[in-house]
Amino acid sequence: LEPKAGSNGRLKYGLMFACKSNSNTQEMQRINAFLASAKAKYHSQIPDQFWNNPVKHFNTYLRTDGRPNHEFLRDSFFINLATGVDMPPTVVNAQRQPVIDKAEVYSGRNCVISLTFWLNNGGKDGTGKKGVGANIAAVMLMNGGDKEGGSSTQVNINEIFGSFSSDM
């Protein structure tokens, strides 16, 4: 619900969409076919290891920072999505009402997303990554989903400070 500074310092909205799945699901077959056709049409000369594919799989993805993949992503496909501050994503609940409470948005929440793929030709000078990027268009939060990774920002004050008396 709030933009954060990316690695280049620019503010952007972001999320990681993860799907417990295997490559044989109909959705993954359609996405992989689309990405393969984009590569064949626009950048067939680029070896696969240099092609920027937005879809990652826990079992094969190597992070560039050297840290291990998050364990809650095991056996998942995931896509890191972003969009600039000039195009904030629409975030609604299951009744299609705008979500404004940050506590409603957490890692592990079930949702439906609308995303757009775009062709990355290596930036303005053509020397950057080439491949396909993905942007967030809208998110509909659904019921369910266990909080994953990180820690909760909600604390029980009585549990933490309950035994302290006011005269201390």
Side-chain angles (χ1 to χ4, degrees):
L1 294 177
E2 289 184 6
K4 296 194 177 4
S7 59
N8 60 6
R10 288 193 308 232
L11 289 176
K12 63 181 180 177
Y13 294 91
L15 71 84
M16 176 191 290
F17 174 75
C19 179
K20 295 280 185 188
S21 180
N22 64 46
S23 60
N24 294 323
T25 64
Q26 189 176 32
E27 295 83 10
M28 287 312 304
Q29 287 175 349
R30 288 196 328 239
I31 290 172
N32 287 331
F34 167 77
L35 294 170
S37 68
K39 181 179 185 299
K41 183 174 181 177
Y42 297 106
H43 295 293
S44 61
Q45 74 285 2
I46 297 175
D48 286 344
Q49 67 266 29
F50 299 115
W51 170 253
N52 187 38
N53 182 341
V55 180
K56 314 289 189 239
H57 192 276
F58 176 91
N59 298 339
T60 58
Y61 178 64
L62 297 174
R63 291 176 55 148
T64 57
D65 61 9
R67 296 182 355 215
N69 291 330
H70 299 290
E71 193 58 35
F72 66 87
L73 293 173
R74 181 168 295 287
D75 299 324
S76 293
F77 284 93
F78 56 96
I79 304 173
N80 288 313
L81 302 163
T83 189
V85 293
D86 55 333
M87 298 182 300
T90 300
V91 182
V92 297
N93 61 23
Q95 292 74 40
R96 294 175 178 80
Q97 298 302 310
V99 172
I100 54 174
D101 183 359
K102 293 180 204 173
E104 294 294 313
V105 181
Y106 56 85
S107 182
R109 179 77 188 252
N110 292 335
C111 66
V112 176
I113 63 167
S114 172
L115 62 102
T116 57
F117 289 108
W118 53 277
L119 184 63
N120 185 349
N121 283 318
K124 292 180 182 176
D125 61 4
T127 60
K129 292 181 182 179
K130 293 183 179 176
V132 174
N135 284 17
I136 313 163
V139 179
M140 182 167 54
L141 301 178
M142 306 302 287
N143 292 328
D146 296 328
K147 289 188 178 185
E148 300 286 355
S151 61
S152 172
T153 57
Q154 300 293 320
V155 296
N156 182 329
I157 298 299
N158 292 327
E159 190 176 293
I160 296 171
F161 298 119
S163 63
F164 289 98
S165 66
S166 62
D167 62 346
M168 290 183 86

